[in-house]
Amino acid sequence: MTPYHFTLVFLAALALSTALRLWLDIRHLRHVRAHRDRVPDNFADRIDLADHRKAADYTVAKVRLGLLEIAVDAIVLLALTLGGGLGLLDQAMRAWLGSGYLHGLALFACVSLLGFVIGLPASLYRTFRIEARFGFNKLTWPLWFADLAKGAVLTVLISGPLLFAVLWLMDVMGSYWWLYVWLVWLATNLLVLFLYPTVIAPLFNKFTPLEDVSLKARIEALLTRCGFASSGLFVMDGSKRSAHGNAYFTGFGRAKRIVFFDTLLDKLSPEEIEAVLAHELGHFKHRHVIKRIALSSVLSLAFLWLLGQLIDQPWFFAGLGVGADGTASSMGTAIGLLLFSMVLPVFLFPLAPLTSGLSRKHEYEADAYAAKQTAAADLISALVKLYRDNAATLTPDPLHSLFHDSHPPASQRIARLQTPSPSGT
Ligand SMILES: [Zn+2]
């Protein structure tokens, strides 16, 4: 491969994935708008037209902002790579810090900071305009700043040592560095998963044990029925930031916790809460979390191996606009890792239906489990309330959904819950 050919391959992939993203979003906009004035038949008696229209307008507002972000992302990526931005940053850092590990860390910090600053207006607009306009935002400026500061400290504490370890391993471990980096990466991920429920999440939210005695008894009966050991039921003050409701599982082994957003408990009846929890238990019973961790581990090993092959190729750097003046062979590990992580998503986006399809399959399995352990009707009414209260659209564009949705469209999910499962399974 020559640098010139690789530039063409990169440009073609960027054009393809950007065009695909824009096309899918525009289809989605049109589809949602076209169905704005009529509630789908199977929801007609549960959701009124005003709520349906609100969901359409909310979706349109979010997708329109998303279109702008897709364009900005593509421009920034081009400016940093072929536009020479990354090369300039690299030279500036080198002149200032020499070419040791500090240079590598500073380069990553600069690019992350740049990404944050460029993404900031859209992020603020999303929270303080769109979410606020539809009545979801509860975030205040002081809380926003506090979150930002805590997030920044956590990023430095976790990513800093990880990145240092990765750059060091890439330097000293010879041609099998990618294997060692993979092991360190896995260990860090497991550590974060382990620390998340008891150390990280409480930095941002308050978790109080579930107090409602009758609800607790109901849930504990369900847990026993499903053979699930947990070290606690917690309520999280999600209403501090947003009116959106949710429930999730976190932690490992016996330290598993079940967390309900206070916003969810306010909206659903005890039967519906039980059904939502049974769905979450379905994910656990089918080992979805473990399967997902296993899949991402295998993929990350493959990507690291690929980077191991690319990082010794001058055409990889020069083709992406770095070191095209003949210095590409001595570009170093930090910029190689950075380029790779920036460019990889461009090549992967067309494969998104595979991962989101897997996620939708898992949702169906968890729904089927919930329907067996509780009443399907309770899960259906919980889902309808959640779709309504979260202003989630009932009429997504099918192709857009295929690429982007981790959950099946509402109508298909509910239709499946309404058909009795084959007996005896
Ligand atoms: Zn689920």
Side-chain angles (χ1 to χ4, degrees):
M1 182 95 68
T2 66
Y4 173 71
H5 285 128
F6 188 57
T7 300
L8 291 184
V9 170
F10 167 61
L11 284 176
L14 180 62
L16 175 74
S17 76
T18 304
L20 189 58
R21 275 170 190 269
L22 293 171
W23 179 66
L24 288 169
D25 277 6
I26 290 167
R27 281 181 60 105
H28 190 44
L29 272 184
R30 290 203 180 127
H31 198 88
V32 168
R33 276 202 189 115
H35 292 82
R36 181 180 182 275
D37 292 319
R38 187 159 172 271
V39 183
D41 289 340
N42 39 354
F43 293 94
D45 52 347
R46 299 170 191 258
I47 287 181
D48 58 35
L49 186 59
D51 284 329
H52 179 66
R53 282 183 172 149
K54 178 185 170 187
D57 296 342
Y58 179 50
T59 307
V60 167
K62 282 191 297 184
V63 175
R64 281 170 61 174
L65 180 64
L67 285 173
L68 188 71
E69 286 181 293
I70 294 169
V72 170
D73 284 352
I75 292 167
V76 170
L77 183 58
L78 276 177
L80 281 176
T81 53
L82 300 180
L86 209 53
L88 283 178
L89 261 176
D90 182 60
Q91 279 166 17
M93 292 292 134
R94 228 174 260 273
W96 181 35
L97 298 165
S99 53
Y101 294 115
L102 210 54
H103 154 259
L105 293 172
L107 194 60
F108 268 86
C110 268
V111 173
S112 312
L113 203 62
L114 190 71
F116 169 75
V117 170
I118 292 171
L120 190 59
S123 155
L124 291 177
Y125 188 85
R126 185 176 294 113
T127 304
F128 291 102
R129 282 296 175 86
I130 299 180
E131 292 292 307
R133 190 177 127 211
F134 290 91
F136 293 125
N137 182 46
K138 301 279 180 275
L139 204 60
T140 57
W141 279 106
L143 190 56
W144 183 84
F145 274 112
D147 283 356
L148 182 68
K150 288 181 208 167
V153 170
L154 272 179
T155 306
V156 170
L157 286 180
I158 297 170
S159 313
L162 173 67
L163 189 59
F164 178 75
V166 168
L167 293 176
W168 179 73
L169 289 170
M170 288 172 84
D171 261 358
V172 301
M173 285 300 172
S175 51
Y176 285 101
W177 63 261
W178 46 274
L179 202 56
Y180 296 93
V181 166
W182 182 65
L183 291 174
V184 167
W185 187 85
L186 275 190
T188 309
N189 266 329
L190 290 179
L191 182 71
V192 169
L193 267 177
F194 180 73
L195 293 179
Y196 184 80
T198 48
V199 179
I200 300 177
L203 293 174
F204 294 90
N205 281 96
K206 223 183 255 143
F207 292 82
T208 43
L210 180 66
E211 272 167 11
D212 185 325
V213 180
S214 70
L215 181 61
K216 213 172 152 182
R218 175 183 278 277
I219 289 173
E220 274 160 3
L222 172 74
L223 295 179
T224 318
R225 204 155 77 230
C226 299
F228 185 86
S230 139
S231 67
L233 303 170
F234 290 86
V235 181
M236 189 189 105
D237 57 345
S239 57
K240 190 171 151 187
R241 294 190 180 78
S242 162
H244 289 300
N246 210 345
Y248 69 90
F249 261 126
T250 145
F252 279 119
R254 296 237 146 222
K256 284 189 293 290
R257 282 179 162 202
I258 294 164
V259 176
F260 295 103
F261 283 35
D262 51 357
T263 39
L264 186 88
L265 295 184
D266 289 345
K267 284 170 187 164
L268 301 186
S269 73
E271 294 80 11
E272 290 165 343
I273 292 169
E274 188 183 346
V276 168
L277 181 57
H279 168 98
E280 297 299 325
L281 288 172
H283 283 307
F284 168 74
K285 279 286 164 184
H286 287 284
R287 301 182 178 279
H288 290 158
V289 177
I290 294 173
K291 284 179 188 168
R292 212 168 296 174
I293 293 175
L295 178 67
S296 80
S297 305
V298 172
L299 288 177
S300 58
L301 181 62
F303 294 145
L304 283 169
W305 171 83
L306 179 63
L307 174 60
Q309 312 309 304
L310 292 173
I311 208 154
D312 296 325
Q313 310 296 334
W315 56 256
F316 172 68
F317 294 93
L320 293 172
V322 174
D325 51 357
T327 55
S329 54
S330 60
M331 285 320 293
T333 48
I335 199 160
L337 183 63
L338 195 52
L339 269 181
F340 185 74
S341 60
M342 284 163 56
V343 164
L344 186 65
V346 167
F347 288 90
L348 292 183
F349 181 69
L351 302 176
L354 296 179
T355 48
S356 54
L358 183 69
S359 165
R360 290 193 297 270
K361 179 176 170 276
H362 288 171
E363 293 306 325
Y364 281 131
E365 288 172 1
D367 278 355
Y369 183 83
K372 240 181 272 169
Q373 297 296 338
T374 59
D378 290 332
L379 184 57
I380 294 175
S381 68
L383 286 174
V384 170
K385 276 191 194 172
L386 290 175
Y387 276 101
R388 186 193 62 204
D389 295 342
N390 288 329
T393 180
L394 300 172
T395 56
D397 173 63
L399 263 184
H400 181 273
S401 178
L402 208 62
F403 274 79
H404 287 289
D405 288 351
S406 60
H407 289 63
S411 55
Q412 287 175 30
R413 236 180 131 178
I414 287 170
R416 260 223 215 173
L417 281 167
Q418 279 166 340
T419 37
S421 63
S423 59
T425 56

